[in-house]
Amino acid sequence: TESPNWKDIYPMGAMAAEALVALIGMDAVYNLSADLSKGLSLDDTFKKNVGMTDAVINKLLSDYLLSIKSNTPWSIDELRSKYQQLKA
């Protein structure tokens, strides 16, 4: 059976990817794939390129997407501020 949320997958994924690029830059996003292909663990890859584990950045991006979906979107400055707090 098809998920009732199927129509949200592409746009939400695109927004999450754009937010990630805004936070860490395109080179770091590219390096995520490169480091994973070299055999670096998921956590080590994210710590190296994002400054936190994949679980932490995924939670931040999920919360960002929920803010958009609930019509109370975070500004990019707010997203960056939350990111910096988590990195500290």
Side-chain angles (χ1 to χ4, degrees):
T1 63
E2 188 174 298
S3 168
N5 297 320
W6 181 250
K7 68 182 179 353
D8 293 338
I9 290 174
Y10 179 81
M12 294 305 246
M15 284 186 272
E18 288 176 3
L20 187 60
V21 170
L23 292 173
I24 65 173
M26 194 61 224
D27 288 342
V29 171
Y30 172 80
N31 289 337
L32 284 170
S33 295
D35 287 341
L36 284 170
S37 72
K38 293 175 188 170
L40 206 59
S41 74
L42 194 60
D43 271 351
D44 288 342
T45 297
F46 273 85
K47 286 177 190 171
K48 177 182 173 189
N49 295 288
V50 182
M52 59 192 65
T53 65
D54 65 309
V56 174
I57 192 66
N58 284 337
K59 173 75 169 103
L60 176 64
L61 293 174
S62 292
D63 289 347
Y64 173 66
L65 294 175
L66 285 174
S67 80
I68 293 168
K69 230 178 153 172
S70 66
N71 268 347
T72 55
W74 298 349
S75 68
I76 292 298
D77 288 339
E78 188 174 0
L79 176 62
R80 283 187 181 129
S81 175
K82 291 175 185 291
Y83 171 71
Q84 290 302 325
Q85 289 172 10
L86 290 170
K87 273 184 70 172

